[in-house]
């Protein structure tokens, strides 16, 4: 089947998470992603545990569908190859600390002279402009500075880091969007350009109602635990064997919920008749519901409330997710054969397209496994030339 | 300045968050987003507080750059208008519960007959296929079922909801990527298609190393607090007046850090010489550093450590973010004039493009303010026809 980004050639200089996540999303949709790695060591995340038969499970989870080519970028012959490749690709992506590409001689000003149609996309901690630009950043620092920690955590508790590296991942997603928008402009006008995405900027962009609330009231929101700020009941309750998340989003759902939990009398109880009333009388309602919800297991509540149309769900741990019927049906956990690691499991593709569905054609590459193929295919190098370059440790 | 998505016409049937976030990102890049709303009430989120001069700050924060058109979609004349508009646009986006568009007579199978080039994008809780497809979902339920809660929270504590509605926002971002990929395919082949993005799928897609760790070890990760699982020191420390996040990512940074905190003796302390040693001896190192870090203020540490090249940062609350030098420099908080609310502050555009930078041209629309303009511009309706339709309460 044809794929949506078929024909789009991407030179991928990224490592660790934000950049590789961006290029994974594009590779999943059919782009040809050529990952440039340092000989012998490769992407830093190849050293991140845990390992399966010596291969990093972390690296394998975000580098499927890509090809790997090694190049010692400090070697003059490698630089020549890099410039030749720049002429052949549509996009180059990097997530170095700003200034690193310039030091290598590969800044956007240089590359655009070689290929004026080039889209140069950079993802960095603080962006390529501004007073913090040259600073290094890690996800933890950006989550701290970007405010998401200040509104995540237990009610009355301390600011809490979001489990996944959401600072990296959202930057990866916004960079992918920037690249595709730039491709649209390139197709329309033949013009390339630079796309500059900062992790900190992306954190500000996802603060959602916290920013709106601050500007309307002048008060900075704090961690609010698992309770919704203005809808009741909309939070987890303990059951006889665990917890269940309940989201009674409106008064109609409230009536159905009361019937389903066998307490019709709550429907007419004046303290709880409308959402504003339930919010005002939260401290009275919460213990009543807590008592009721303890009477059945999570599974029983989940089955019964779902049948009644009440939005609810278990608080799944990772194992439970892998066994979930919907997750399985939607191919969101995929089995892939890896040459060294054997059968591995990685997340599927969350964008489902009726005509150009992305596929996972290959597991993450072994370091440099595609070097020769790429040099033959894109630059028409002969076997002899490849031998010479190899002897000079260019790759 | 030209914009990257200039000329892309989007009919936006979305409401609340996931869908409107997606169309905001596309409008920011230059797409013409025509928001269809119910007469009198409009997008549900117009009723979400807090309010500024009676206008929802929540709604205004995610609907800038869009035009608003009202249509009573149960009215037969409105249906006719809707079908005429479908012929004129490139994309339709909706985030109803699956089945709702079909009930209105606007399912993809119907619309693609009218416009075979149409891209139909749907964002929903569980997706348009699979056993849970018809269930309603809210962000809280999806965060619970998708596993992010199970790995967020204090060490040894309970699963914790992420502050912003990350279930909605990531679905909005993946939907935007799906639409742009489909636009690329449309430009190449003239073919439209359906894009189906589920909030639950997106949660699985952003679990990052939690999924890799589970599959490598068979153990589901738990909330780990604010500490990095394998790098030390990489967590917040209390200062004399608050907290600071420190990210000493490698042994070289460790040496610089020890010098900067005035404790060179730690560099040669065998218990702490390498990251593996520091990880093993975490319980001995943590109290030593905690004592040292209490001796200065957050500002002092932030200034000194940053000068020394140590990744670190304050745990900003929302107010602090709005005053941050880099956030200001990067235009990530923007002042916009709103006809009713006056001067408002909303997040900026995190995708910076050298040739086609997006701009915030207009604040969120008043309900239906562009109805007449759109009908004249896209369908060439006369003033007389508009008067007749208005009399029939079509919009």
């Amino acid at each position: 089947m044809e794929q949506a980004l078929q024909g789009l050639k991407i030179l991928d200089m990224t490592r660790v998470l934000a950049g590789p996540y961006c290029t994974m999303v594009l590779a999943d949709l059919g782009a040809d992603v050529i990952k440039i790695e340092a000989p012998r060591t490769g992407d830093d995340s190849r050293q991140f545990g845990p390992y399966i038969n010596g291969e990093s499970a972390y690296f394998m989870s975000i580098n499927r569908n890509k090809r790997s080519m090694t190049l010692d970028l400090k070697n003059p012959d490698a630089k020549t190859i890099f410039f030749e490749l720049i002429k052949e690709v549509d996009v180059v992506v990097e997530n170095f600390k700003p200034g690193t590409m310039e030091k290598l001689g590969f800044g956007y000003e240089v590359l655009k002279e070689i290929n004026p149609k080039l889209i140069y996309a950079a993802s960095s901690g603080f962006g390529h402009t501004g007073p913090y630009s040259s600073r290094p950043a890690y996800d933890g620092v950006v989550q701290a500075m970007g405010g998401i920690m200040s509104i995540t955590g237990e009610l009355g508790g301390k600011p809490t880091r979001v489990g996944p590296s959401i600072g990296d991942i959202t930057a990866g997603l916004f960079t992918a969007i920037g690249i595709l928008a730039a491709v649209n402009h390139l197709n329309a006008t033949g013009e390339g350009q630079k796309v500059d995405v900062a992790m900190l900027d992306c954190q500000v962009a996802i603060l959602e109602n916290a920013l709106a609330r601050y500007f309307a009231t002048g008060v900075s929101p704090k961690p609010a635990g698992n309770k919704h700020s203005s809808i009741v009941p909309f939070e987890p309750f303990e059951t006889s064997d665990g917890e269940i998340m309940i989201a009674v989003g409106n008064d109609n759902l409230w009536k159905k919920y009361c019937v389903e939990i066998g307490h019709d009398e709550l429907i007419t109880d004046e303290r709880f008749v409308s959402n504003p009333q339930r919010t005002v009388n939260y401290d009275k309602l919460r213990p009543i519901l807590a008592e009721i919800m303890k009477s059945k297991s999570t599974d029983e509540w989940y089955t019964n409330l779902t049948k009644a149309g009440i939005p609810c769900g278990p608080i799944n741990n990772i194992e439970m997710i892998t066994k979930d019927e919907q997750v399985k049906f939607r191919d969101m956990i995929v089995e892939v054969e890896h040459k060294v690691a054997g059968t591995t499991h990685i997340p599927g593709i969350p964008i489902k397209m009726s005509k150009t569905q992305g596929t996972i054609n290959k597991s993450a590459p072994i370091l440099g496994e595609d070097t020769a193929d790429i040099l033959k295919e894109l630059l028409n190098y002969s076997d002899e030339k490849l031998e010479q370059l190899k002897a000079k440790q260019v790759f």
Side-chain angles (χ1 to χ4, degrees), chain A:
Chain A
M1 191 198 268
E2 213 175 334
Q3 295 201 310
L5 303 184
Q6 205 152 305
L8 189 71
K9 285 199 175 56
I10 300 180
L11 207 56
D12 180 4
M13 313 284 288
T14 68
R15 64 267 116 66
V16 188
L17 183 52
Y21 197 88
C22 164
T23 56
M24 172 187 75
V25 170
L26 300 173
D28 283 353
L29 297 169
D32 180 11
V33 174
I34 299 171
K35 189 173 172 82
I36 305 288
E37 299 187 78
R40 289 173 297 281
T41 50
D43 185 334
D44 305 340
S45 73
R46 287 186 183 270
Q47 324 310 330
F48 293 179
Y51 300 94
I52 303 172
N53 290 345
E55 294 287 314
S56 164
Y58 186 95
F59 178 83
M60 290 190 288
S61 74
I62 47 176
N63 288 288
R64 81 279 186 98
N65 280 339
K66 303 179 189 174
R67 300 200 280 174
S68 168
M69 168 171 186
T70 51
L71 266 188
D72 173 6
L73 290 173
K74 285 170 185 161
N75 179 306
D77 287 314
K79 281 187 196 278
T80 305
I81 292 173
F82 181 80
F83 288 129
E84 287 184 47
L85 288 172
I86 283 293
K87 290 179 200 161
E88 304 300 322
V89 300
D90 306 294
V91 184
V92 63
V93 195
E94 55 98 348
N95 66 330
F96 293 111
K97 204 174 80 170
T100 306
M101 285 290 274
E102 282 76 6
K103 272 185 214 155
L104 285 165
F106 302 152
Y108 175 58
E109 298 303 318
V110 174
L111 301 186
K112 78 173 181 188
E113 293 301 319
I114 296 169
N115 180 357
K117 290 183 160 192
L118 185 72
I119 294 165
Y120 179 110
S123 168
S124 59
F126 300 105
H128 279 225
T129 60
Y132 307 173
S133 179
S134 63
R135 288 191 204 168
Y138 286 94
D139 178 81
V141 172
V142 174
Q143 282 202 30
M145 293 177 69
I148 199 167
M149 283 181 66
S150 79
I151 52 172
T152 299
E154 293 180 13
L155 188 65
K158 296 188 89 169
T160 304
R161 188 178 175 278
V162 176
S165 298
I166 204 74
D168 283 298
I169 290 170
T170 49
L173 292 171
F174 275 111
T175 306
I177 292 170
I179 290 170
L180 293 176
V183 166
N184 191 64
H185 182 75
L186 173 68
N187 287 340
T189 65
E191 261 187 353
Q193 63 180 311
K194 179 172 176 179
V195 178
D196 164 21
V197 173
M199 289 164 69
L200 183 65
D201 292 354
C202 295
Q203 290 302 291
V204 177
I206 65 164
L207 287 173
E208 199 216 346
N209 67 46
L211 217 50
R213 278 188 283 157
Y214 169 72
F215 280 115
T217 66
V219 179
S220 294
K222 290 187 174 159
N226 294 334
K227 189 181 159 303
H228 196 286
S229 55
S230 57
I231 307 180
V232 174
F234 202 112
E235 66 189 293
F237 283 91
E238 282 186 19
T239 63
S240 66
D241 65 347
E243 277 194 297
I244 189 160
M245 175 67 87
I246 306 287
V248 178
N250 58 51
D251 293 343
N252 191 30
L253 286 174
W254 169 246
K255 285 175 203 154
K256 289 188 193 172
Y257 171 73
C258 292
V259 172
E260 198 50 47
I261 62 175
H263 286 266
D264 301 38
E265 79 279 4
L266 292 173
I267 299 174
T268 47
D269 191 318
E270 282 196 6
R271 297 169 300 174
F272 313 133
V273 283
S274 69
N275 185 57
Q277 284 298 98
R278 290 192 294 280
T279 306
V280 170
N281 294 306
Y282 175 77
D283 292 342
K284 295 190 182 90
L285 180 57
R286 163 88 212 182
I288 297 173
L289 298 181
E291 189 61 35
I292 296 167
M293 297 305 289
K294 270 189 195 153
S295 67
K296 288 183 185 170
S297 70
T298 299
D299 264 2
E300 283 175 278
W301 282 128
Y302 182 37
T303 306
N304 298 347
L305 292 174
T306 296
K307 248 183 228 158
I310 315 293
C312 68
I315 300 177
N316 286 331
N317 66 18
I318 306 297
E319 181 177 7
M320 290 155 82
I321 290 161
T322 67
K323 295 176 176 163
D324 182 277
E325 288 305 315
Q326 184 74 1
V327 170
K328 283 194 214 167
F329 187 96
R330 302 271 294 179
D331 288 329
M332 283 311 297
I333 303 286
V334 183
E335 243 182 59
V336 185
E337 286 304 314
H338 186 276
K339 283 178 198 165
V340 178
T343 305
T344 60
H345 295 82
I346 55 177
I349 301 174
I351 300 168
K352 311 295 185 193
M353 303 182 78
S354 66
K355 287 235 174 77
T356 60
Q357 179 56 38
T359 52
I360 296 179
N361 296 314
K362 68 191 285 278
S363 59
I366 308 289
L367 180 60
E369 72 173 351
D370 306 296
T371 309
D373 284 354
I374 292 164
L375 289 174
K376 285 179 182 179
E377 181 190 314
L378 268 71
L379 305 183
N380 290 314
Y381 279 17
S382 64
D383 285 330
E384 203 190 344
K385 185 158 185 179
L386 289 176
E387 285 304 321
Q388 288 167 359
L389 292 167
K390 200 171 181 183
K392 287 161 104 179
Q393 297 194 305
V394 171
F395 48 79

